[in-house]
Amino acid sequence: MVDLGLTDAQEMLRNNAHRFVQDKCTREVVREIDESERGFSESLWKDISEIGWPSIVIDEQYGGMGSSLTDAGLLFEEMGWACMPSPLHSSSVLSALVLQQAGTADQRQHYLPLIADGNRIVAFAFSEPGYGWGPESIHTQANKVGDKYVVSGTKLFVPDAESADSYLLVARTRATDVSGSGLTLFIVDKEVPGIHVKEVSGWTGDKLYEIAIEDAILTEAQVVGEVNRGYEVLEPILDRGTALLCAYMLGGLQQMADMSVTYSQNRIAFGVPISTFQRVQDMIINIVNDLEAVRWTTYEALSMIDNGAREQDIAEAVSMAKIVASEGFTRGTENAHYVHGGVSVDMKYGLYLYTKKSRTLFSYLGDPAYHKKRVASLMFD
Amino acid sequence: MVDLGLTDAQEMLRNNAHRFVQDKCTREVVREIDESERGFSESLWKDISEIGWPSIVIDEQYGGMGSSLTDAGLLFEEMGWACMPSPLHSSSVLSALVLQQAGTADQRQHYLPLIADGNRIVAFAFSEPGYGWGPESIHTQANKVGDKYVVSGTKLFVPDAESADSYLLVARTRATDVSGSGLTLFIVDKEVPGIHVKEVSGWTGDKLYEIAIEDAILTEAQVVGEVNRGYEVLEPILDRGTALLCAYMLGGLQQMADMSVTYSQNRIAFGVPISTFQRVQDMIINIVNDLEAVRWTTYEALSMIDNGAREQDIAEAVSMAKIVASEGFTRGTENAHYVHGGVSVDMKYGLYLYTKKSRTLFSYLGDPAYHKKRVASLMFD
Amino acid sequence: MDFSTEITYSAEQEKFRQEVSVWLSENAQIPAEFKIPRETGDMSHELYNWVREYRKKLGAKGWLAPLWPSEYGGGGLSVDMAQVLEEELSKRKIPAIYDNRLAAPAMMVWGTEEQKQRFLPLINKGDVITWQAFTEPEVGSDAASITTSAVRDGDDFIINGTKVYIGGPFSADYIWTTAVTDQTSPRHRNLGAFYVPADLPGISFSDMELIVNVGKRFVYYDNVRVPGEYLVGGENQGWQVAQTSLEIEHGAGGSIGEGASRDGGVVAALFDYAQTAVDGAGNPLIEDPRIRDLLVEARIETHIVELIALRNYWMFNNQKRMTFHGSQNSLLRKLLAMKLGNIVLEVAGPYAMLNDSNWAPSRGVFESHQRQAITAHHPGGSSEIQKLIMARRLGLSRSKEEAAPTKVA
Amino acid sequence: MDFSTEITYSAEQEKFRQEVSVWLSENAQIPAEFKIPRETGDMSHELYNWVREYRKKLGAKGWLAPLWPSEYGGGGLSVDMAQVLEEELSKRKIPAIYDNRLAAPAMMVWGTEEQKQRFLPLINKGDVITWQAFTEPEVGSDAASITTSAVRDGDDFIINGTKVYIGGPFSADYIWTTAVTDQTSPRHRNLGAFYVPADLPGISFSDMELIVNVGKRFVYYDNVRVPGEYLVGGENQGWQVAQTSLEIEHGAGGSIGEGASRDGGVVAALFDYAQTAVDGAGNPLIEDPRIRDLLVEARIETHIVELIALRNYWMFNNQKRMTFHGSQNSLLRKLLAMKLGNIVLEVAGPYAMLNDSNWAPSRGVFESHQRQAITAHHPGGSSEIQKLIMARRLGLSRSKEEAAPTKVA
């Protein structure tokens, strides 16, 4: 039966997380990280590792908290509110879930406790120059030669690749067919010859990287899950990762509402607070309408996952949430710029951190066009 | 060189037309016609025939005014402003231009003077149940049997079919091929056996009809232009008709601006005219922005036709104008409803006449989706 | 969290369902001779009378107001039981008739015990039909600027003025109305709220012709003598009393399950149309990527409104503090209606405007929706009024305000 | 009507073109050692100095202000000749440097003959660089609420306060500024407009770091003594004088030909990208119906802004009465920038945000546009200010107003 409230434990989790980011992840800290070479802060990572955040969705047997996705969502919401840069999503969600789901006992025993402790960061290397999130977008080839795989290709727009110790690498071991199989997952430590990481510069929300792979030799021990059936493992995990990404975007949009309300109440023009102008009110109302749409589509997706809904229904709910979040967060930053006027482009004020983040996450894990196609397929095909 | 002004003669033409519709085509008159059985007023038709409007684009040798399309556009703008219902567009523009362009000497001598005088109304029977405005949408078959054509099929959403004396009928005489040919045009007087006209009821801006054709026998003398090459004649004429339709929509949108400005200046709420509320202002600004976009895209298209631009450039300009007009007029009526509040749905007030007109003309001669495809083809293929 | 509106029913619920189902089998069978109208406004007088009688029977069992205390004519049911009742009722397609029950929560908050005892059972048991007439021809959304006057004369009030309201096709027993009781007091402190018997001398009506037959009318008060017992909430409390009604009307209560968007079946009709119709070249519409995007947008926008309504339902029934939430629900529903209208026009083109027996898809649902989306924009506060209220509740306006009190028990 | 911006040139025009072309071949060759920057803000000091010298040479021929009367440093050319000049100039890709010349039309309308004789040639001949500093840190769009003061002291004014302005990368010779000359007068009748030499004692600057390097700075006036000869339009006319500058800035003058949208080449880059890139499955983007629609929308929206600019150009140069037109031009251009930014994001995804030398399409035009669309929203009046002005000029506001006078000859 319908229950949209948080438990007491969840309220506490959220309040603690909120206090943490208010304290440790101020706008100044985020700007500093954003302008640092790797877009990564050792000390912040150490702090969140100490309070266990990298372990949130990892099973208890591997030293994780084994929390529900809704609980994890509350953390991501607060991270998004602060615009926190960290490899937590790629390492402790996408890569960790893949290893936990499909890895060998050895792989799990080796990697998961390290990831949970924050002692190892695993970047998630999926996307390529012909950007897309379906299996057909993977062209990096892994050719079997004897008992080895020779891998060549280019991964592009990979976050956290520089700060990572390992990569979760998605490659093609068989030509595309309709079922979307033919992909294989590999776990690769950084030192492998033939792999070169290079920053791709831009006005991006996270630092993004190119991973050029040229005849890198991988072993069978590095294969995660079954050969050629990588996307079957990935798809539900991408959904879970996307739902948490939506929670992060929800937090970012909440910040847009908070900043806009406060600024408009305090900024005086024509002798009155600008919040009393209907034009300014409407910008904020638009933010709040987007906010509530993102909130409830996201919460619904997370709760369906936690409550064990059918994968197909989860897929639809997640795709809908991502469409709403991509559009809502982007539009929300735009409206926040309108509310704030000139100060909104002052780097000191820091609104731009959310602006570029929203535009990067707009496409990450699938843009609205991709997810609309997916929902239409689920509904009508 | 750029000249966006009207000549003195054009100013006079427009002023006279404006006075005429203000006088003879009031909101009450339009409502009365709208609620009449055929959606047609003999007396109004007689009045506009007397001042020569049905002859506006017909050559002087056939008793027409032979005016420029820009001149005709000024009349259509005023008709649209008044929301005037009349068969002028289908009879005196689409059908007349087809006959004038492609008709035999006999056909021209016979029909054009009658059309110009308003003594004959020729409905333009193109669209069919699988609605569309490309040649592929025509499935009505005209099969040659001896020296006759046996025609069967269904025309749908044809305006003015009941008040018409004849039809300009588009039928298929050969299967579709890539070039879009295979269509043939016929001029058909009303009494032909096998043709049945029936109103299609709805909340439509003009009364629309189904023309059910069952083994109607037509002769070679009724063919207009070359057999199988009908769409080559039609396409540029559809562009000219569409440009004038845009002018009509421009007038309708101008009325939305006029009504909204006046109403908002006079309606008092919270002790002040509602025009002083930013929310209401923004609705009107949106109308005015749409209005100017429709105005200048339409004028540009008309002027390119008059100035003999390349057909391909005309096609692009007309399609762009129709996209802008379809979206702008529809949105403009929506905004006008917002400005007016409850009175906007009172039939006495008559705003709804524009609302339903905008929604019917949204699709007529091609909706935005159709014209966007066309522009994309012109630009990129 | 749990968004599932599906329930594992208790044995008690299933027993109750059985009881309801049996009762409905006996009492909810519309006689075959009545034609079910396409739009409520087109209901025949015979069917209308039948529905009224049926509602009285429902009311006698407390099932018209299942959550209300039985002492005020309600069913005194728990939310769980009311849910079962709602499910069973919705299986029978009994046409709704217009009965604005928004006087009831206001009476519960603001009325004297005597008024509650007297009027609430009448409303809750379906014995009377009430129409709400707050606004006036020159007033529109600015409900505080009404000019209808109520002048005290002994224990009575003499009411004069003209109201506009939207009501059902036939008549009302009571009119829930506001009037100026104190010409000298400032806005918001000068009104009285009256529950006026519709048959008092001096009351008359006239119809307005709208693009949707929703029964919008003028009501004229010509020296109507209304005894003081019909004044609810005291002489200068009318604005506050009316706010309680409006808060609920704007959607504070929310709703559960699909249909929260009140789209009249237009989305289902849209999906059906797109999955069966072909374009000019004979290609199925459902294969057109542009059409598919539009369908997904319709689905998402509708689902967002369902979720917002569900949020309100949950907040309302769990006594959460509500601020902008009611107005947001109303605003989004109104905007959705316009968006859906545009999507239908883009997908169905001229078919969007048909009610033709041969050619109209889904028996004219599109056409009816085109008119209703526009008409529904204004009653109960236009989208602009909802924005105004949202801005106040978000703390953006000069005047700060809280939601009006709506709790009934 | 004629929308064609193509011209059949007269022999006289062709002769003039020849003259211009020869002159430019000699004077408009950027030395090869200068690097042309991607954004104006990144221009080297050497290149900047070269451009300033080049502009002075242009100015000496009257070609920097071709339509202005030669007595005020202009070229005294007809529109036909100016058109030819414009065409030839635009063929050479000389980077623009920031020189806000909006003081000139205001001076022409409001200045004394002595001021016109003295200042206009300086501006029109490129001898000086002027920056406009009307607004202040706490003022934003409400330009009438500035607090910078100008207190009369004999024939001089003592100016104190802080201004915000957007200027070029290096320095200015004059600052076109407003200050309160009369603390006791009401809004709009309390300001003076000053053409302040930038090297007066007490003037200092500091930079702001923005997301686009447009040279936004603070200027501090600390007891700056400004002789009365620099006051333009009299002691309490500053608001009116500033309006003339703003009217032109908002776009009353319009423009001719493509590029009116000032999109920095983003639409061309978008078409180029869509016609060359492929999606994940290897299919050309240009075959995707959704992408095609987006491209057509970009084309149409851009063309509308071009037409509106053309309308203004024609109205302005034919002395038509202009009301909302200037602000509409500015509003639509600002909205277009945001729309194009969104379309680019939809079409190019993460490529929209790159300035990487390997991976960025069109050398980073997308990325630069993303930042500039946002940054350009505010200077010269945000879209909200343009709406405010449009509403006034459409007769919707309490305060009615006409466009400020802008005619210069």
Side-chain angles (χ1 to χ4, degrees), chain A residues 31 35 128-132 136-139 154 156-157 198-204 208 210 267-271 279-280 283 330 334 337-338 340-348 352 355-356 358-360 362-363 367 369 372-373, chain D residues 136-143 145 187 207-212 216 218 278-282 288 290 334-335 338 342 345-346 349-351 353-360 367 370-371 374-375 377-378 383-385 387-388 391-392:
Chain A
R31 274 202 72 195
E35 295 188 352
E128 304 195 356
Y131 195 74
E136 72 285 351
S137 305
I138 303 300
H139 304 278
T154 304
L156 199 63
F157 303 114
K198 205 178 138 193
E199 190 188 337
V200 180
S201 69
W203 200 56
T204 55
L208 299 177
E210 172 190 351
R267 170 84 185 195
I268 307 294
F270 302 96
R279 271 187 197 108
V280 175
M283 297 163 195
T330 304
E334 191 175 318
H337 277 285
Y338 295 153
H340 283 81
V343 74
S344 79
V345 294
D346 187 342
M347 292 182 74
K348 256 201 214 90
Y352 77 101
T355 311
K356 62 185 200 163
S358 73
R359 279 145 183 77
T360 297
F362 182 87
S363 314
D367 66 3
K372 281 182 194 172
K373 278 190 214 175
Chain D
E136 299 181 2
E138 292 303 313
V139 164
S141 294
D142 180 15
S145 73
R187 276 167 74 91
D207 285 354
M208 289 170 79
E209 197 187 357
L210 301 192
I211 62 173
V212 175
K216 187 164 178 175
F218 295 109
V278 297
D279 68 13
D288 182 335
R290 295 169 177 94
K334 283 165 193 281
L335 296 179
M338 300 304 283
N342 290 332
L345 186 59
E346 288 185 67
Y351 288 98
M353 313 304 284
L354 296 191
N355 56 31
D356 191 81
S357 55
N358 276 328
W359 292 105
E367 182 270 349
Q370 288 287 330
R371 291 178 291 117
I374 296 167
T375 311
H377 195 79
H378 311 293
S383 63
E384 288 66 55
I385 287 293
K387 288 180 191 169
L388 200 133
R392 280 193 205 132

Side-chain angles (χ1 to χ4, degrees), chain B residues 256-270:
Chain B
M256 294 302 93
D258 294 351
M259 285 169 76
S260 297
V261 168
T262 304
Y263 183 83
S264 70
Q265 286 169 332
N266 291 298
R267 171 83 185 193
I268 307 293
F270 303 95

Side-chain angles (χ1 to χ4, degrees), chain A residues 269-315:
Chain A
F270 302 96
V272 293
I274 62 169
S275 72
T276 60
F277 295 115
Q278 292 187 336
R279 271 187 197 108
V280 175
Q281 291 177 357
D282 283 358
M283 297 163 195
I284 294 174
I285 288 170
N286 286 341
I287 296 176
V288 172
N289 289 343
D290 278 330
L291 177 66
E292 292 295 294
V294 175
R295 185 190 310 288
W296 296 104
T297 49
T298 298
Y299 287 172
E300 183 181 41
L302 290 167
S303 123
M304 284 171 73
I305 295 168
D306 286 337
N307 296 333
R310 292 191 312 157
E311 277 306 322
Q312 180 170 344
D313 294 338
I314 290 173

Side-chain angles (χ1 to χ4, degrees), chain B residues 229-274:
Chain B
R229 305 192 58 174
Y231 202 77
E232 287 153 84
V233 170
L234 274 185
E235 190 167 13
I237 289 170
L238 286 172
D239 276 334
R240 279 142 186 85
T242 302
L244 290 179
L245 191 74
C246 289
Y248 185 98
M249 297 165 90
L250 166 61
L253 187 52
Q254 177 73 58
Q255 179 69 271
M256 294 302 93
D258 294 351
M259 285 169 76
S260 297
V261 168
T262 304
Y263 183 83
S264 70
Q265 286 169 332
N266 291 298
R267 171 83 185 193
I268 307 293
F270 303 95
V272 292
I274 62 169

